[in-house]
């Protein structure tokens, strides 16, 4: 008789959710018709569900969202691209080339007719100006600290517009900084690393480890792979 | 399961801030609600979600498409909320008082209501299960992955969470009186 065997929690839950298979549903229904205790359980389950589902989603305050998007630091790749060069180095290489090109253009122009000579005059300042702006961008990128003076959506080109910027090593981390991501919280990761003799500290939600062998750190954190806390290996 | 966020995630992985801004827009309400309902404070929730998105942005180049982006973000947000709770516990009382800064009257009202008081009183595992399932619409699979327990346990936690909550809400006057409110 159904009234003597109460359905278990899982059955009652699946009954309320409409997930109970067809074979068991009539039995549980019949039991509920006769059992006050289980009927009360179902009533509570439905009331709890209703209260929770009536609660709205809350919106992240716009100020927080704006501050977040304005303050995104530069992402750090796990490994540097094999052909990556810093903007500063790019400017250093390209500057003499540009100067020679301008000089050649000027010489060729003076050997041609008068029209082309006049046309060549404004070309040099324009090229110099363009070069200067590249140089300034490069210098700004090289001087920007890791998190504080991060490029903003308005003030800096996006990575799509300037893919080279993504390959510039973040200066404050040093050119050889390497990054892993592990399961946090950062304080526990630091405690674990210190236990094993590493020089580790929490900096702005990331874990920084100084002067450690990357393979040894990898091994020490093997249990915590695939998390979201960046571990930065400093030289 | 194909991740509807995959194209944006791929762009954001390569450093595209506009793609990341779209992901923030898509997920902010659910993540903020998760943090607010589990922390019971909208100011702490805002800090936790901001921190979570920052961590996600930094970790994106190493994000592997083993789970949905939404599940990954839930995990990061829960970790950030946990860290926020630890930070708050360590904070001197005066600083906490100075920090009281209601930023959003609606969220503030929601979080001071009877439902939140009942959620605050729930066992942490039950609270997380009902918030994820009933408020945010997460699947059993997602909750099982996030909490590291089998699907049957997830259902049992939702069951018990709802039942406790209904009891507290159904007898809210008695409950509040017995708590001296």
């Amino acid at each position: 008789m159904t009234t003597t065997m109460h359905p278990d929690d899982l059955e009652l839950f699946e009954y309320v959710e409409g997930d109970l298979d067809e074979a068991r549903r009539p039995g549980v229904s019949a039991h509920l018709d006769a059992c006050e205790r289980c009927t009360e359980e179902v009533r509570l389950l439905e009331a709890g569900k209703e209260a929770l589902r009536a609660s709205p989603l809350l919106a992240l305050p716009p100020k927080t969202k704006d501050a977040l998007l304005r303050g995104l630091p530069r992402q750090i790749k796990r490994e540097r691209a094999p052909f990556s060069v810093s903007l500063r180095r790019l400017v250093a290489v390209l500057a003499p080339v540009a100067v020679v090109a301008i000089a050649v253009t000027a010489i060729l122009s003076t050997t041609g007719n008068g029209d082309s000579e006049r046309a060549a005059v404004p070309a040099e300042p324009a090229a110099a100006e363009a070069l200067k702006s590249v140089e300034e961008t490069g210098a700004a990128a090289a001087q920007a600290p890791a998190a504080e003076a991060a490029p903003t959506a308005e003030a800096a080109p996006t990575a799509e517009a300037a893919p080279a910027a993504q390959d510039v090593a973040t200066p404050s981390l040093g050119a050889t900084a390497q990054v892993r991501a592990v399961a946090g919280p950062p304080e526990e990761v630091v405690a674990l690393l210190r236990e094993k003799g590493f020089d580790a500290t929490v900096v702005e939600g990331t874990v920084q480890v100084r002067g450690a062998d990357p393979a040894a750190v990898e091994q020490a954190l093997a249990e915590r792979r695939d998390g979201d806390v960046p571990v930065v290996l400093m030289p | 399961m194909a991740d509807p966020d995959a194209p944006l995630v791929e762009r954001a992985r390569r450093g595209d801030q506009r793609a990341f801004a779209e992901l923030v827009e898509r997920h902010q309400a659910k993540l903020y609600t998760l943090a607010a309902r589990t922390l019971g404070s909208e100011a702490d929730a805002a800090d936790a979600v901001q921190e979570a998105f920052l961590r996600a942005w930094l970790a994106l180049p190493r994000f592997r498409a083993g789970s949905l982006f939404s599940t990954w973000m839930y995990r990061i947000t829960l970790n950030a909320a946990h860290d926020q709770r630890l930070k708050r516990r360590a904070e001197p009382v005066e600083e906490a008082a100075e920090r009281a800064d209601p930023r959003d009257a609606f969220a503030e009202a929601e979080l001071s209501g009877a439902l939140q008081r009942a959620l605050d009183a729930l066992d942490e595992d039950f609270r997380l299960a009902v918030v994820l399932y009933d408020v945010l619409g997460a699947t059993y699979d997602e909750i099982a992955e996030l909490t590291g327990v089998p699907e049957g346990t997830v259902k049992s936690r939702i069951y018990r969470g709802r039942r406790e909550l209904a009891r507290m809400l159904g007898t809210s006057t008695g409950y509040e009186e017995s708590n001296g409110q």
Side-chain angles (χ1 to χ4, degrees):
Chain A
M1 180 63 194
T2 51
T3 48
T4 54
M5 282 289 289
H6 296 288
D8 63 23
D9 291 358
L10 199 60
E11 276 181 309
L12 280 183
F13 177 77
E14 289 179 344
Y15 177 84
V16 168
E17 289 307 284
D19 293 341
L20 197 63
D21 62 58
E22 290 303 318
R24 287 187 294 166
R25 195 166 183 84
V28 173
S29 283
H31 177 86
L32 288 170
D33 287 342
C35 177
E36 263 183 51
R37 191 182 108 186
C38 289
T39 303
E40 173 63 7
E41 284 287 299
V42 167
R43 193 194 66 74
L44 284 172
L45 269 187
E46 284 173 339
K49 176 181 179 175
E50 202 174 304
L52 287 158
R53 296 203 172 187
S55 73
L57 289 182
L58 310 171
L60 184 67
K63 268 196 287 185
T64 306
K65 196 166 59 184
D66 293 347
L68 159 74
L69 293 173
R70 267 201 315 275
L72 287 179
R74 188 169 302 134
Q75 284 174 328
I76 304 157
K77 306 285 183 192
R78 184 191 288 272
E79 288 160 10
R80 298 186 68 190
F83 300 111
S84 70
V85 285
S86 75
L87 282 178
R88 187 181 284 263
R89 184 172 296 179
L90 193 65
V91 168
V93 172
L94 288 183
V97 177
V99 168
V100 170
I102 291 161
V104 169
T105 309
I107 291 164
L108 288 177
S109 304
T110 52
T111 58
N113 62 32
D115 285 342
S116 60
E117 187 178 349
R118 278 194 296 277
V121 176
E124 189 170 323
E129 198 56 43
L131 196 62
K132 188 171 163 245
S133 81
V134 170
E135 219 156 357
E136 280 167 0
T137 312
Q143 285 161 9
E148 296 79 13
T152 67
E154 302 81 37
T158 67
E160 276 180 336
Q166 289 301 312
D167 290 327
V168 177
T170 308
S172 66
L173 296 180
T176 55
Q178 294 182 48
V179 180
R180 307 282 189 276
V182 300
E187 291 75 14
E188 282 179 19
V189 177
V190 162
L192 179 69
L193 286 168
R194 283 185 180 167
E195 256 175 44
K196 298 187 179 183
F198 293 100
D199 175 10
T201 45
V202 178
V203 181
E204 301 269 318
T206 68
V207 175
Q208 297 200 357
V209 193
R210 290 192 174 276
D213 171 23
V217 174
E218 195 88 53
Q219 197 183 349
L221 298 176
E223 299 288 310
R224 289 181 165 263
R225 274 187 196 136
D226 298 331
D228 53 68
V229 175
V231 175
V232 184
L233 302 180
M234 312 284 281
Chain B
M1 193 209 293
D3 190 343
D5 292 320
L8 285 174
V9 168
E10 194 44 44
R11 282 168 55 200
R13 274 167 63 93
R14 295 197 303 264
D16 184 339
Q17 295 192 1
R18 280 175 297 187
F20 188 69
E22 279 187 56
L23 287 169
V24 169
E25 196 51 53
R26 270 189 198 183
H27 294 278
Q28 54 87 16
K30 283 190 174 182
L31 298 178
Y32 180 60
T33 304
L34 174 64
R37 291 300 187 191
T38 50
L39 288 168
S41 152
E42 54 100 21
D44 284 350
D47 288 348
V49 172
Q50 186 171 3
E51 173 68 20
F53 275 125
L54 182 64
R55 287 182 193 177
W57 168 252
L58 288 171
L60 258 175
R62 295 167 300 284
F63 171 67
R64 284 190 297 246
S67 62
L68 294 175
F69 177 76
S70 57
T71 311
W72 188 63
M73 279 310 309
Y74 278 146
R75 179 178 293 124
I76 296 179
T77 304
L78 289 171
N79 287 342
H82 174 75
D83 295 349
Q84 184 69 21
R85 192 180 290 121
L86 293 181
K87 194 169 134 190
R88 203 50 77 225
R89 276 185 199 150
E91 192 177 63
V93 178
E94 310 84 67
E95 276 183 37
E98 280 171 21
R99 209 178 13 80
D101 167 30
R103 296 177 213 183
D104 184 275
F106 175 68
E108 197 65 18
E110 278 294 322
L111 295 176
S112 60
L115 176 68
Q116 187 60 45
R117 284 201 299 277
L119 279 170
D120 290 345
L122 270 188
D123 172 276
E124 199 175 332
D125 291 335
F126 299 168
R127 178 170 58 229
L128 184 57
V130 294
V131 168
L132 284 166
Y133 186 73
D134 283 323
V135 181
L136 305 178
T139 62
Y140 301 133
D141 275 356
E142 259 187 311
I143 304 171
E145 189 186 330
L146 277 169
T147 53
V149 297
E151 196 175 302
T153 308
V154 170
K155 289 180 177 176
S156 164
R157 285 178 179 179
I158 300 169
Y159 174 98
R160 295 168 72 181
R162 281 182 186 173
R163 189 178 57 183
E164 290 305 307
L165 198 82
R167 280 192 179 137
M168 286 188 256
L169 290 171
T171 56
S172 64
T173 310
Y175 171 71
E176 284 173 11
E177 278 168 5
S178 69
N179 282 277
Q181 292 172 34

